[in-house]
Amino acid sequence: MRRALIGIDPDDPEPGFRALGYATTLLDPKEWELLVVCVVNEFKYARVVSLSPTEISTAIGKDKEDAEKIVREAEEQARRNKFTVRGMIVKGEAGLEIINIAKSQNVELVILGYRKRGRVRSLIGSTHRKIIEKIDSNVLIVK
């Protein structure tokens, strides 16, 4: 069975769900297994000096709860479309974690959602760019 990874950002899940929807119409569930990956970045609060350690711990806990809900919803959506699916929640930096999972799980295709950026941001975000440049798998970005 071939394997595709769908990345969903817990801070902005809509593009990831769009990617999942596209994957379920593009791929054949008899041939493809889906890995839904949600990466919780615990380090994003390190730069917020106004937060106490307790507030940081609470925020990280909420992020993990949000990620669990997102993954459950994505798994349900994939199963409704007859796919074998496995959800994964990992801690770390999204680009590196997706690359590592894709390599370790023999992922053939990584599918990511596109998020419109302001004029200051580039066409493709830094996470997408890192994945495209460093991964051996094919990458599909869904607009």
Side-chain angles (χ1 to χ4, degrees), residues 123-142:
L123 178 61
I124 298 176
S126 60
T127 299
H128 288 58
R129 181 177 291 113
K130 184 180 293 180
I131 292 167
I132 291 167
E133 290 175 355
K134 297 187 180 204
I135 202 163
D136 295 328
S137 307
N138 292 307
V139 178
L140 173 64
I141 298 177
V142 178

Side-chain angles (χ1 to χ4, degrees), residues 7 12 16 20 61 66 69 71 75 77-78 80 93 117-119 122 136 142:
D12 185 10
L20 176 60
D66 291 346
K69 181 181 175 191
V71 167
E75 287 173 326
Q77 180 179 333
R80 280 193 306 271
E93 190 276 312
R117 305 275 184 182
R119 290 184 195 184
S122 65
D136 295 328
V142 178

Side-chain angles (χ1 to χ4, degrees), residues 78-94:
R79 286 188 184 107
R80 280 193 306 271
N81 287 283
K82 310 294 187 221
F83 281 88
T84 300
V85 61
R86 186 166 27 126
M88 302 174 79
I89 299 169
V90 294
K91 300 176 202 172
E93 190 276 312

Side-chain angles (χ1 to χ4, degrees), residues 8-129:
I8 301 181
D9 182 348
D11 292 330
D12 185 10
E14 192 276 327
F17 276 102
R18 201 171 344 98
L20 176 60
Y22 192 76
T24 61
T25 60
L26 177 70
L27 305 176
D28 183 345
K30 294 174 187 161
E31 296 179 18
W32 289 85
E33 174 188 12
L34 302 181
L35 298 179
V36 175
V37 177
C38 203
V39 181
V40 176
N41 182 352
E42 294 182 322
F43 305 108
K44 69 182 177 184
Y45 297 107
R47 291 173 257 157
V48 183
V49 293
S50 63
L51 294 178
S52 71
T54 302
E55 291 170 320
I56 291 172
S57 179
T58 301
I60 291 170
K62 183 179 179 328
D63 285 353
K64 288 178 185 175
E65 288 175 14
D66 291 346
E68 289 169 0
K69 181 181 175 191
I70 288 164
V71 167
R72 276 193 309 273
E73 187 178 327
E75 287 173 326
E76 290 170 9
Q77 180 179 333
R79 286 188 184 107
R80 280 193 306 271
N81 287 283
K82 310 294 187 221
F83 281 88
T84 300
V85 61
R86 186 166 27 126
M88 302 174 79
I89 299 169
V90 294
K91 300 176 202 172
E93 190 276 312
L96 293 176
E97 294 304 326
I98 288 172
I99 292 165
N100 290 337
I101 292 168
K103 287 180 182 178
S104 70
Q105 298 295 315
N106 298 315
V107 168
E108 185 175 333
L109 178 63
V110 174
I111 305 174
L112 305 169
Y114 171 79
R115 175 176 36 210
K116 187 174 181 178
R117 305 275 184 182
R119 290 184 195 184
V120 177
R121 297 268 182 137
S122 65
L123 178 61
I124 298 176
S126 60
T127 299
H128 288 58
R129 181 177 291 113

